Amino acid sequence: MTAESLIISVDAMGGDHAPESIIDGLAVSLRSVDDRVRFLVHGDEARVKPLVEAHSKLVGRVEIRHTDKTVAMDAKPSQAVRGGKGSSMWNMLAAVKAGEANLAVSAGNTGALMAMSKLVLRMVQGVNRPAIAALWPTPEGKCVVLDVGANIEADSSQLVEFAIMGEAYARAIHGMERPSVGLLNIGSEDLKGNDQVRMAAELLKNETLDLNYIGFVEGNDISMGASDVVVTDGFTGNVALKTAEGTARLVSGFVKDALSSSIASKMGALLAMSGLRALKHKMDPRSVNGGVFLGLNGVVLKSHGGTDAQGFATTIQLAAMVGRSTFTEDVAASLVRLTNANSESSTESGAA
Amino acid sequence: MTAESLIISVDAMGGDHAPESIIDGLAVSLRSVDDRVRFLVHGDEARVKPLVEAHSKLVGRVEIRHTDKTVAMDAKPSQAVRGGKGSSMWNMLAAVKAGEANLAVSAGNTGALMAMSKLVLRMVQGVNRPAIAALWPTPEGKCVVLDVGANIEADSSQLVEFAIMGEAYARAIHGMERPSVGLLNIGSEDLKGNDQVRMAAELLKNETLDLNYIGFVEGNDISMGASDVVVTDGFTGNVALKTAEGTARLVSGFVKDALSSSIASKMGALLAMSGLRALKHKMDPRSVNGGVFLGLNGVVLKSHGGTDAQGFATTIQLAAMVGRSTFTEDVAASLVRLTNANSESSTESGAA
C-alpha cells in the first residue's frame, strides 16, 4: 500500500450480519470511493477470505489480518476492554494507532467500541470526553448532531468541546467555511434550560473560540436545518436521534397506507413512482448510516449494528470523505482556540 | 349552569391569535362536544362579546367574565405570577379553584400558566412536581408522554410520580384498564442510562404501585407505540416532542416534493387524493393539540400558543373527554398506592 492510499481499517466481525454484510458492503462501496482507497480487514480469515474472493474487484484492495477473537454484540464495555485485546475490534484500532491505517470502521458493539477506542487511541490533548456525531437529514442536506450517545451527561465545558469538534467535522464533510453552531434547549429564551446548557451558551459566545454560534435551537429546529451543528449531551442527543428515526418510520407507514387505501390511490402511487423512489432514498436510514467518534487520536466510524451491505457501504463512503479531508488538523487547530479561550477566562477570573 | 353541565373555564386572551382563534375554536368544538358542555370565558368583554355573538350557537353556552388584564406571551413566569392576579389566566384558574368550573383551558404562555396553576390550584398531596403530558401519534392511536416541559430535571421519585399520573391519564382518555408504562432511556439494557433513570426503574418494579411497567423504551419506540405511557424528564421529553414534530414536517415536505416532481407524479397525487387527505389529517399537529398539567388540584389543559380555531377546538374536545372521565379520582387513588409503596420501602430500609 502506497503513501497516497487511504487505508481504512475494518472490523469484519462487528455487526449483526457480520462478516457477510461487512465484506459485501466493502464491495458496494467501491462504486463510490476512489481507487486509492484500500482496506485492512480484521477477522476470521477462514470466513472472510471466501467472501472477499466472491468480489473480484475487492481482491487486491483488501488485506486480511487474521484473528479468532471477536467482541460480542452484547458484551459490557468493561468486559470488552478487559478481554478484548487481540480481537478484530482491538486490532482494527491498533492498526490506526500504529499508523498502518488512516481510520477505523466498525459495525460492532457501540459501548465496547467507544471504551476500546479510548484505551487504544487515547483522547486528543485538551479533550475530556469523546463524542459521537451523527448526520441528520434536513431540507438542504445534512446537519451534524452531537453527542448522540457517548456520554450520558455533559457539563458546560464538555458541551463547548462538542461544539468545537462538531464544527470541525461539519467543515470537513460539507466543505463549509463557517458552519453555524446551535445549542439544543427547550426554549429559545436565554432563561430557559438547565444550568449546563445556560453556562455553555455563555462560554460559546467567547470570541476567542471564533465559532459561528447562533444560540439555542429546539427539537423541531434540527430537522429544519436551523444550524449546521447541533450540540447536546449524549442522553438527549440519543433520544432525539432515535425519536426522529421512529417518527420518520411512522410517517412513512402513514404514507404507504394513504397510497394503498383505494384502487385510485394505488394507481396514483404507480404514476408517482419516480418521485416516491427519491423519497424512499431520502428517508432510508442507511443513507445517513455512520456515527463518528470525535476527540480521539484517530478517527473511528461506527456503522449501525443491524446494518446491511448498503448501509455499511455508506459508512465506508463517509470514512473516505473524512479521511481525505483536513478534519484531524482542523480539530487540532480548533482545540488550540479552546485552550486559549480557557486560559483567557481563567485569567479574567483572576485565577491566572 | 346546572350540576350536570361540564363547565370549562377558558382564557380568551391567551395565544398568539387570541381572542379570535379562541372564541372561533369554541364554536368549532360545538360540533364534537355534547350539549351540556358550557364555557366560562375570561377576557376583555368588548372584544370577546362580538366574537361570541357572531356564532349564534355559542350564545347561551358562554358566560363572559370581564377583565382588562392579560398575561403577555413573553412574560417571565415569576413576573406573570407577581403581577398576574386578576388577569384572564388567573381568573380562569380561580374559577376552577372556586368550584365554578370543572377544568381550565388556555393557549397562553406555558411557563406563566404552570407557575400560576401551582399558586392558584396548589399541588395534589403526595405530588412534588406537576408534569405536562402530551398525546403522541402511534400506528394504533396515541400514547401519553410526560413530562414534556414542566420540569427541567426530574429525580427518580419524581419520575415515579409522572408514571403514576400518566397511567391514570391514559386510563381516563383511552378507557384502558392497565395501560403499559415505559421509561425513556438510551438503551434497553439495565445498565444503560443515568442514575435517576436506573433508580426509577427499580422503584417502578415495586408491586405495591401495581403498574403495568414494561421497562425501558428508546426514542424510536415512542412513535411505534411500544408503551401506552412514556415517562421522562421535562428537558428530554420536550426535545423529543419537538424533534418528532420537526421530523414529521420534514418528511411531509419530502412527500410533497415527491408528489410534485413531475407531471406523472402530480397526476398520481390527484388520483391518490382521498388517501393523502387522511394522511394530512393524521399528520396535522392540530389533531393532537393539548398538553395536560398533571398533579394539581384541578385539571388545566394547555393549547399550543400559535393555535388556530381548529387546534383550540381539539383541546376543548380533549378537555371535555377528561372532564367526563374519572381522571381526578383515578389519580388520587394511584397516589395512595405511591404513598403506600414509599412507606413500605422506608420500612424495609429500616427508616420506619
Side-chain angles (χ1 to χ4, degrees), chain A residues 76 137 139 152 185-186 191 193-194 218-220 223-224 238 242-244 246-247 250-251 254 258 264 268 271 275 279 283, chain B residues 76 137 139 152 185-186 191 193-194 218-220 223-224 235 238 242-244 246-247 250-251 254 258 264 268 271 275 279 283:
Chain A
K76 289 179 193 165
I152 285 176
N185 199 353
I186 64 169
L191 275 168
N194 53 29
E218 297 190 63
N220 49 322
S223 286
M224 293 298 110
N238 188 281
K242 288 182 177 162
T243 298
T247 306
L250 177 74
V251 175
F254 285 163
L271 271 171
L279 171 70
M283 294 309 305
Chain B
K76 290 180 193 163
I152 284 175
N185 198 352
I186 64 168
L191 275 167
N194 53 29
E218 296 189 63
N220 47 324
S223 286
M224 294 298 110
F235 190 93
N238 188 281
K242 287 182 178 162
T243 297
T247 306
L250 176 74
V251 176
F254 284 164
L271 271 170
L279 171 70
M283 295 308 307

Side-chain angles (χ1 to χ4, degrees), chain B residues 163-227:
Chain B
I164 296 272
M165 298 191 292
E167 196 247 11
Y169 180 53
R171 269 187 280 143
I173 54 165
H174 292 316
M176 289 173 166
E177 291 243 337
R178 283 180 67 73
S180 56
V181 176
L183 191 58
L184 190 59
N185 198 352
I186 64 168
S188 50
E189 300 89 19
D190 275 348
L191 275 167
K192 290 195 174 166
N194 53 29
D195 291 345
Q196 301 91 282
V197 167
R198 279 204 304 265
M199 283 173 59
E202 286 311 308
L203 296 171
L204 286 168
K205 290 173 189 161
N206 185 324
E207 287 182 7
T208 311
L209 288 179
D210 193 28
L211 286 175
N212 180 11
Y213 172 64
I214 62 159
F216 293 137
V217 294
E218 296 189 63
N220 47 324
D221 295 322
I222 311 176
S223 286
M224 294 298 110
S227 65

Side-chain angles (χ1 to χ4, degrees), chain A residues 258, chain B residues 273-283:
Chain B
M273 193 57 89
S274 72
L276 291 174
R277 218 175 275 136
L279 171 70
K280 208 177 159 194
H281 178 72
K282 270 185 187 160
M283 295 308 307

